[in-house]
Amino acid sequence: MEDLSPTPRSTVGRGSARARADRSELHAFLADALVAHLGVVVDGDPVVLPTAYALAVDGPDDGGTLYLHGSVAARWLREAPARTVCVTVTELDGLVAARSGFHHSMNYRSAVVQGTARVVTDPAERALALDAIVDHMVPGRSATLRPATRKELAATAVLAVPLRESSLKVRSGGAKDDPSDVARGGWAGHVPLRRSAGRPVADDDVRTGVPDDVLARAAALA
Amino acid sequence: MEDLSPTPRSTVGRGSARARADRSELHAFLADALVAHLGVVVDGDPVVLPTAYALAVDGPDDGGTLYLHGSVAARWLREAPARTVCVTVTELDGLVAARSGFHHSMNYRSAVVQGTARVVTDPAERALALDAIVDHMVPGRSATLRPATRKELAATAVLAVPLRESSLKVRSGGAKDDPSDVARGGWAGHVPLRRSAGRPVADDDVRTGVPDDVLARAAALA
């Protein structure tokens, strides 16, 4: 399955010139970004919460799977199962200063995934998903850690959201000013923004050096 | 009104040790962050979209007002009026690498605002809100621009969301490992993350230097 936006619901409406239809581009973006915003409906009202996630390109769903986790006591997780959720992942890439207020904008990449969340119950898939969420933060780290305890697993809910209904929008570059504003002169352009990492900070109780996985993660984001 | 979380719906549930109750801290965070995720319910399902916003501390609502804007043709804006929306603003401040997968986490600040969105129709309030959204991106910039045209105003919807029902969660610092994991040794800590700006990039058609407002914005985020 190569095309995004296969259903009317996930078809990008406004700004469709910014929509991308390449699933590998969606996967690359989701591998690069760090935070998702999960939307669920609770008592008829929308609730949007930030959360960590992991991408499983070869997950159980055609087109890939997003894994999210949370406390079994969290209301949004109790409400989410077997309901449609919306998972939106956005990275801000710049501020666009135009010659009119109307054409001010932001450069960004944003994926919107709609689908029915499945509560993962299979122990092997749960373990894979939880490791993937740790490795999404710090690649390779899960292999260096002790296995999860029974108590930790019992306290953790894992959700799988299929990537089948997804869209990716990308805006980049400068302002799209009206010709009459360009003719009047004046400055327009953009301020590039990116995420940057500082040096790893050890906890007070640490007696060993920073491990390679954490160093590599910080260097990749530096 | 000084306290946040005045209603059960907006009371932080999980991780309430991270909840902040100081409204000035909420305002400072919303002034600092750049992107909001707006959640609305469309045909019973949640939809979450990234959007620019502005904070009006002295806006019409007790406790402050968030302004959002969008195309009048955008479906989420048509659906939002007179409905409850959820506006969540998150800034990621770090990756937390613990000695167990369970205690891996992220450092962040996140505000969750729930309320009934009001479509702003008063011309003066609309103009103030649109200027505030431009100035949130580049402080002081709206005063340097031509006024919006009638056509631009007709194409733009402005929403006001009261900050009355809000919560702010902040996580910072290192890992919160179990004592048994600390005793076994090994590294734990965090990788600080922040947004950083590059030098302003002028559009190809620009013949003038970078204005002070854009330079100041880039320097503040550098």
Side-chain angles (χ1 to χ4, degrees):
Chain A
M1 188 172 70
E2 279 308 302
D3 285 353
L4 301 179
S5 304
T7 72
R9 185 170 63 177
S10 67
T11 299
V12 171
R14 303 297 311 161
S16 56
R18 298 172 188 167
R20 305 301 177 94
D22 182 347
R23 186 160 289 269
S24 65
E25 192 173 356
L26 173 75
H27 289 164
F29 168 64
L30 291 172
D32 183 50
L34 288 167
V35 175
H37 279 82
L38 171 73
V40 295
V41 178
V42 177
D43 297 339
D45 292 328
V47 175
V48 179
L49 296 172
T51 180
Y53 71 92
L55 165 70
V57 172
D58 300 319
D61 303 296
D62 186 25
T65 303
L66 278 189
Y67 287 113
L68 315 173
H69 72 338
S71 164
V72 290
R75 185 166 181 201
W76 63 265
L77 271 173
R78 292 201 309 270
E79 301 282 343
R83 295 192 187 192
T84 301
V85 301
C86 182
V87 184
T88 299
V89 179
T90 305
E91 290 285 332
L92 182 62
D93 294 327
L95 303 173
V96 180
R99 295 174 179 95
S100 65
F102 189 75
H103 285 295
H104 272 66
S105 188
M106 292 184 176
N107 287 332
Y108 63 90
R109 293 160 290 158
S110 185
V112 176
V113 181
Q114 287 169 294
T116 302
R118 171 174 60 90
V119 179
V120 181
T121 54
D122 175 69
E125 188 183 4
R126 278 167 56 84
L128 276 174
L130 293 172
D131 282 353
I133 292 169
V134 166
D135 289 338
H136 186 82
M137 285 190 259
V138 183
R141 188 154 178 84
S142 69
T144 72
L145 304 171
R146 64 161 171 77
T149 65
R150 200 173 302 183
K151 189 178 168 189
E152 288 171 347
L153 289 171
T156 305
V158 178
L159 291 187
V161 180
L163 285 178
R164 193 176 56 80
E165 259 187 83
S166 310
S167 64
L168 176 67
K169 281 177 76 172
V170 178
R171 193 204 187 281
S172 60
K176 314 277 185 279
D177 274 319
D178 293 340
S180 58
D181 290 323
V182 174
R184 276 213 314 280
W187 194 87
H190 67 283
V191 178
L193 295 175
R194 67 182 192 89
R195 196 186 294 294
S196 67
R199 297 168 66 152
V201 178
D203 286 354
D204 289 341
D205 52 22
V206 168
R207 303 286 170 264
T208 57
V210 185
D212 287 344
D213 51 4
V214 175
L215 284 173
R217 186 47 151 157
L221 293 168
Chain B
M1 186 172 69
E2 280 307 304
D3 285 353
L4 299 180
S5 303
T7 73
R9 186 171 61 176
S10 67
T11 299
V12 171
R14 302 297 310 162
S16 57
R18 297 171 188 168
R20 304 302 176 95
D22 181 349
R23 187 160 289 268
S24 64
E25 191 172 358
L26 173 74
H27 289 163
F29 168 64
L30 291 172
D32 182 51
L34 288 168
V35 174
H37 280 82
L38 171 72
V40 295
V41 178
V42 178
D43 297 339
D45 292 328
V47 176
V48 179
L49 295 172
T51 181
Y53 71 92
L55 165 68
V57 172
D58 300 319
D61 303 295
D62 186 25
T65 303
L66 278 189
Y67 286 114
L68 315 173
H69 72 337
S71 164
V72 291
R75 186 167 180 201
W76 63 264
L77 271 173
R78 292 201 310 271
E79 301 282 344
R83 296 192 185 191
T84 301
V85 301
C86 181
V87 185
T88 299
V89 180
T90 304
E91 290 285 333
L92 182 62
D93 294 328
L95 303 173
V96 180
R99 296 174 179 95
S100 66
F102 188 75
H103 286 295
H104 272 66
S105 188
M106 292 184 176
N107 287 332
Y108 63 91
R109 293 159 291 158
S110 184
V112 176
V113 180
Q114 287 169 295
T116 302
R118 172 174 60 91
V119 179
V120 180
T121 54
D122 176 68
E125 187 183 4
R126 278 167 57 84
L128 275 175
L130 293 172
D131 282 353
I133 292 169
V134 166
D135 289 339
H136 186 81
M137 285 190 260
V138 182
R141 188 155 179 83
S142 69
T144 72
L145 304 171
R146 64 162 172 76
T149 65
R150 199 172 302 182
K151 190 178 167 189
E152 288 171 347
L153 289 171
T156 305
V158 178
L159 291 186
V161 180
L163 284 178
R164 193 177 55 80
E165 260 187 80
S166 310
S167 64
L168 177 66
K169 281 177 76 172
V170 178
R171 193 205 187 281
S172 61
K176 313 277 185 278
D177 274 320
D178 293 338
S180 58
D181 290 323
V182 175
R184 276 213 313 280
W187 194 87
H190 67 284
V191 177
L193 295 175
R194 68 183 191 89
R195 198 185 294 294
S196 67
R199 298 168 68 150
V201 178
D203 285 355
D204 289 339
D205 53 22
V206 168
R207 303 286 171 264
T208 56
V210 185
D212 288 344
D213 51 4
V214 174
L215 284 173
R217 186 46 151 158
L221 291 169

